[in-house]
Coordinates of all heavy atoms in Angstrom, one line a residue:
V1 N -11.6 -31.7 9.3 CA -10.9 -30.7 10.1 C -9.8 -30.0 9.2 O -9.7 -28.8 9.2 CB -10.2 -31.4 11.3 CG1 -9.3 -30.4 12.0 CG2 -11.3 -31.8 12.3
T2 N -9.1 -30.8 8.4 CA -8.1 -30.3 7.5 C -8.7 -29.3 6.4 O -8.2 -28.2 6.2 CB -7.4 -31.4 6.7 OG1 -6.8 -32.3 7.7 CG2 -6.3 -30.9 5.8
I3 N -9.8 -29.7 5.8 CA -10.5 -28.9 4.8 C -11.0 -27.6 5.5 O -10.9 -26.5 5.0 CB -11.6 -29.7 4.1 CG1 -11.0 -30.7 3.2 CG2 -12.5 -28.7 3.3 CD1 -12.0 -31.7 2.6
G4 N -11.7 -27.8 6.6 CA -12.2 -26.6 7.4 C -11.1 -25.6 7.8 O -11.2 -24.4 7.7
G5 N -10.0 -26.2 8.3 CA -8.9 -25.3 8.6 C -8.3 -24.6 7.4 O -7.9 -23.4 7.5
G6 N -8.2 -25.3 6.3 CA -7.7 -24.7 5.1 C -8.6 -23.5 4.6 O -8.1 -22.5 4.2
I7 N -9.9 -23.7 4.7 CA -10.8 -22.7 4.3 C -10.7 -21.5 5.3 O -10.7 -20.3 4.8 CB -12.2 -23.2 4.3 CG1 -12.4 -24.2 3.1 CG2 -13.3 -22.1 4.2 CD1 -13.7 -25.0 3.1
A8 N -10.6 -21.8 6.6 CA -10.4 -20.7 7.5 C -9.1 -19.9 7.3 O -9.1 -18.7 7.3 CB -10.4 -21.2 9.0
V9 N -8.0 -20.6 7.0 CA -6.8 -19.9 6.7 C -6.9 -19.0 5.5 O -6.5 -17.9 5.4 CB -5.6 -20.9 6.6 CG1 -4.4 -20.3 6.0 CG2 -5.3 -21.5 8.0
A10 N -7.5 -19.6 4.4 CA -7.7 -18.9 3.1 C -8.5 -17.6 3.4 O -8.2 -16.5 2.8 CB -8.3 -19.8 2.1
L11 N -9.6 -17.7 4.1 CA -10.5 -16.6 4.4 C -9.7 -15.5 5.2 O -9.8 -14.3 5.0 CB -11.7 -17.0 5.2 CG -12.8 -17.7 4.3 CD1 -13.9 -18.2 5.2 CD2 -13.3 -16.9 3.2
G12 N -8.9 -16.0 6.2 CA -8.1 -15.0 7.0 C -7.1 -14.3 6.2 O -6.9 -13.1 6.3
L13 N -6.4 -15.0 5.3 CA -5.4 -14.4 4.4 C -6.1 -13.4 3.4 O -5.5 -12.3 3.1 CB -4.6 -15.4 3.6 CG -3.6 -16.3 4.4 CD1 -3.0 -17.4 3.6 CD2 -2.6 -15.4 5.1
T14 N -7.2 -13.7 3.0 CA -8.0 -12.8 2.1 C -8.3 -11.5 2.8 O -8.2 -10.4 2.3 CB -9.2 -13.5 1.5 OG1 -8.9 -14.7 0.8 CG2 -10.0 -12.6 0.6
A15 N -8.8 -11.7 4.0 CA -9.2 -10.5 4.9 C -8.0 -9.6 5.1 O -8.0 -8.4 5.0 CB -9.8 -10.9 6.2
V16 N -6.8 -10.2 5.4 CA -5.6 -9.5 5.6 C -5.2 -8.8 4.3 O -4.8 -7.6 4.3 CB -4.5 -10.4 6.1 CG1 -3.1 -9.7 6.1 CG2 -4.8 -10.8 7.6
G17 N -5.3 -9.5 3.2 CA -4.9 -8.9 1.9 C -5.8 -7.8 1.5 O -5.3 -6.8 0.8
V18 N -7.0 -7.7 1.9 CA -7.9 -6.6 1.6 C -7.7 -5.5 2.5 O -7.7 -4.3 2.2 CB -9.4 -7.1 1.6 CG1 -10.3 -5.9 1.5 CG2 -9.6 -8.1 0.4
T19 N -7.5 -5.8 3.8 CA -7.4 -4.7 4.8 C -6.1 -4.0 4.9 O -6.0 -2.8 5.0 CB -7.7 -5.4 6.2 OG1 -8.9 -6.0 6.2 CG2 -7.7 -4.3 7.3
V20 N -5.0 -4.7 4.8 CA -3.6 -4.1 5.0 C -3.4 -3.0 4.0 O -2.9 -1.9 4.4 CB -2.5 -5.2 5.0 CG1 -1.2 -4.6 4.8 CG2 -2.6 -6.1 6.2
P21 N -3.6 -3.2 2.7 CA -3.4 -2.1 1.8 C -4.2 -0.8 2.1 O -3.7 0.3 1.9 CB -3.7 -2.6 0.4 CG -3.6 -4.1 0.5 CD -4.0 -4.4 1.9
R22 N -5.4 -1.0 2.6 CA -6.2 0.1 3.0 C -5.7 0.8 4.2 O -5.8 2.1 4.3 CB -7.7 -0.3 3.2 CG -8.4 -0.7 2.0 CD -9.8 -1.0 2.2 NE -10.5 -1.4 1.0 CZ -11.7 -1.8 0.9 NH1 -12.4 -1.9 2.0 NH2 -12.2 -2.2 -0.2
L23 N -5.1 0.1 5.1 CA -4.6 0.7 6.3 C -3.2 1.4 6.1 O -3.0 2.5 6.6 CB -4.4 -0.4 7.4 CG -5.7 -1.0 8.0 CD1 -5.3 -2.1 9.0 CD2 -6.5 0.1 8.7
F24 N -2.4 0.8 5.3 CA -1.0 1.3 5.1 C -0.7 1.8 3.8 O 0.4 2.3 3.5 CB 0.0 0.1 5.4 CG -0.1 -0.4 6.8 CD1 -0.6 -1.7 7.0 CD2 0.2 0.4 7.9 CE1 -0.7 -2.2 8.3 CE2 0.1 -0.1 9.2 CZ -0.4 -1.4 9.4
G25 N -1.7 1.8 2.9 CA -1.5 2.3 1.5 C -1.6 3.9 1.5 O -1.8 4.5 2.5
K26 N -1.3 4.4 0.4 CA -1.3 5.9 0.2 C -2.7 6.4 0.4 O -3.7 5.9 -0.2 CB -0.8 6.2 -1.2 CG -0.8 7.7 -1.5 CD 0.4 8.3 -1.2 CE 0.4 9.8 -1.7 NZ 1.4 10.6 -1.3
H27 N -2.8 7.5 1.2 CA -4.1 8.1 1.4 C -4.0 9.5 0.9 O -3.0 10.2 1.1 CB -4.5 8.2 2.9 CG -4.7 6.8 3.5 ND1 -5.9 6.1 3.3 CD2 -3.9 6.0 4.2 CE1 -5.8 4.9 3.9 NE2 -4.7 4.8 4.5
Y28 N -5.1 10.0 0.3 CA -5.1 11.3 -0.3 C -6.1 12.2 0.4 O -7.1 11.7 1.1 CB -5.6 11.2 -1.8 CG -4.6 10.4 -2.6 CD1 -4.8 9.1 -2.9 CD2 -3.4 11.0 -3.1 CE1 -3.9 8.3 -3.7 CE2 -2.5 10.2 -3.8 CZ -2.8 8.9 -4.1 OH -1.9 8.2 -4.8
R29 N -5.9 13.5 0.3 CA -6.9 14.4 0.9 C -8.2 14.2 0.2 O -8.3 14.0 -0.9 CB -6.4 15.8 0.5 CG -5.9 16.6 1.6 CD -5.5 18.1 1.2 NE -5.0 18.2 -0.1 CZ -5.3 19.2 -1.0 NH1 -6.2 20.1 -0.6 NH2 -4.8 19.2 -2.2
K30 N -9.3 14.4 1.0 CA -10.6 14.3 0.5 C -10.8 15.4 -0.5 O -10.4 16.6 -0.3 CB -11.6 14.4 1.6 CG -11.8 13.1 2.3 CD -13.3 12.7 2.3 CE -13.5 11.4 3.0 NZ -13.8 10.4 2.1
S31 N -11.5 15.1 -1.6 CA -11.9 16.2 -2.5 C -13.2 15.9 -3.1 O -13.7 14.8 -3.0 CB -10.8 16.2 -3.7 OG -11.1 15.3 -4.7
P32 N -13.9 16.9 -3.7 CA -15.2 16.6 -4.3 C -15.1 15.8 -5.6 O -16.1 15.5 -6.1 CB -15.7 18.1 -4.6 CG -14.6 19.0 -4.5 CD -13.5 18.3 -3.7
Y33 N -13.9 15.5 -6.0 CA -13.7 14.7 -7.2 C -13.2 13.3 -7.0 O -12.7 12.7 -7.9 CB -12.8 15.5 -8.1 CG -13.1 17.0 -8.2 CD1 -12.3 18.0 -7.7 CD2 -14.4 17.4 -8.7 CE1 -12.6 19.3 -7.7 CE2 -14.7 18.7 -8.7 CZ -13.8 19.7 -8.2 OH -14.2 21.0 -8.3
D34 N -13.3 12.8 -5.8 CA -12.8 11.5 -5.5 C -13.4 10.4 -6.3 O -12.8 9.4 -6.6 CB -13.0 11.2 -4.0 CG -12.0 11.9 -3.1 OD1 -11.0 12.4 -3.6 OD2 -12.3 12.0 -1.9
D35 N -14.7 10.6 -6.7 CA -15.3 9.6 -7.6 C -14.6 9.4 -8.9 O -14.5 8.4 -9.5 CB -16.8 9.9 -7.8 CG -17.0 11.3 -8.5 OD1 -16.3 12.2 -8.1 OD2 -17.9 11.4 -9.4
L36 N -14.1 10.5 -9.4 CA -13.3 10.5 -10.7 C -11.9 10.1 -10.5 O -11.4 9.2 -11.2 CB -13.3 11.9 -11.3 CG -14.7 12.4 -11.8 CD1 -14.6 13.9 -12.1 CD2 -15.2 11.6 -13.0
L37 N -11.2 10.6 -9.5 CA -9.8 10.3 -9.2 C -9.6 8.8 -8.8 O -8.5 8.3 -9.0 CB -9.3 11.2 -8.2 CG -9.3 12.7 -8.6 CD1 -8.9 13.6 -7.4 CD2 -8.5 13.0 -9.8
A38 N -10.6 8.2 -8.3 CA -10.5 6.8 -7.9 C -10.3 5.9 -9.1 O -9.9 4.7 -8.9 CB -11.8 6.4 -7.1
Q39 N -10.7 6.4 -10.2 CA -10.5 5.5 -11.4 C -9.0 5.5 -11.9 O -8.7 4.6 -12.8 CB -11.4 6.1 -12.6 CG -12.9 6.0 -12.2 CD -13.7 6.3 -13.4 OE1 -13.5 5.9 -14.5 NE2 -14.8 7.0 -13.1
L40 N -8.2 6.3 -11.4 CA -6.8 6.3 -11.7 C -6.1 5.2 -11.0 O -6.2 5.0 -9.8 CB -6.1 7.7 -11.4 CG -6.6 8.8 -12.2 CD1 -6.2 10.1 -11.6 CD2 -6.2 8.7 -13.6
I41 N -5.2 4.5 -11.7 CA -4.5 3.4 -11.0 C -3.3 4.0 -10.2 O -3.1 3.6 -9.1 CB -3.9 2.4 -12.1 CG1 -5.1 1.7 -12.8 CG2 -2.9 1.4 -11.5 CD1 -4.7 0.9 -14.0
D42 N -2.7 5.0 -10.7 CA -1.6 5.6 -10.0 C -1.8 7.1 -10.0 O -1.5 7.8 -11.0 CB -0.2 5.3 -10.7 CG 1.0 5.8 -9.9 OD1 0.8 6.6 -9.0 OD2 2.1 5.3 -10.2
R43 N -2.4 7.6 -9.0 CA -2.8 9.0 -8.9 C -1.6 10.0 -8.9 O -1.7 11.0 -9.5 CB -3.7 9.2 -7.7 CG -4.3 10.6 -7.6 CD -5.3 10.6 -6.5 NE -5.7 11.9 -6.1 CZ -6.6 12.2 -5.2 NH1 -7.2 11.3 -4.6 NH2 -6.8 13.5 -4.8
D44 N -0.5 9.5 -8.3 CA 0.7 10.4 -8.2 C 1.3 10.6 -9.6 O 1.7 11.7 -10.0 CB 1.7 9.8 -7.3 CG 1.2 9.8 -5.8 OD1 0.5 10.7 -5.5 OD2 1.6 8.9 -5.1
A45 N 1.3 9.5 -10.4 CA 1.9 9.6 -11.8 C 0.9 10.4 -12.6 O 1.4 11.2 -13.4 CB 2.0 8.2 -12.4
A46 N -0.4 10.3 -12.4 CA -1.3 11.1 -13.2 C -1.2 12.6 -12.9 O -1.2 13.4 -13.8 CB -2.7 10.6 -12.9
A47 N -0.9 12.9 -11.6 CA -0.7 14.3 -11.2 C 0.5 14.9 -11.9 O 0.5 16.0 -12.2 CB -0.6 14.4 -9.7
K48 N 1.6 14.1 -12.0 CA 2.8 14.5 -12.7 C 2.4 14.9 -14.2 O 2.9 15.9 -14.7 CB 3.9 13.5 -12.6 CG 4.5 13.4 -11.2 CD 5.5 12.3 -11.2 CE 6.0 12.1 -9.8 NZ 7.0 11.0 -9.7

């Protein structure tokens, strides 16, 4: 039970860690060049 609960908590935290940045992170206007711009780590700094 302890091992199973630990695994369930770890999976839940991983799901939150993946989902939250996508929900609350910076979103950009769609462009035909998103495949290229997605390679930038900091798109705002690159734009400057």
Side-chain angles (χ1 to χ4, degrees):
V1 170
T2 303
I3 291 171
I7 291 171
V9 167
L11 288 173
L13 290 174
T14 301
V16 167
V18 169
T19 306
V20 168
R22 288 184 181 174
L23 291 176
F24 300 111
K26 176 91 175 172
H27 294 282
Y28 299 98
R29 249 182 329 137
K30 283 234 178 250
S31 83
Y33 313 115
D34 285 341
D35 60 318
L36 295 167
L37 299 174
Q39 297 191 39
L40 294 168
I41 293 172
D42 188 345
R43 186 169 163 178
D44 294 329
K48 289 177 185 176

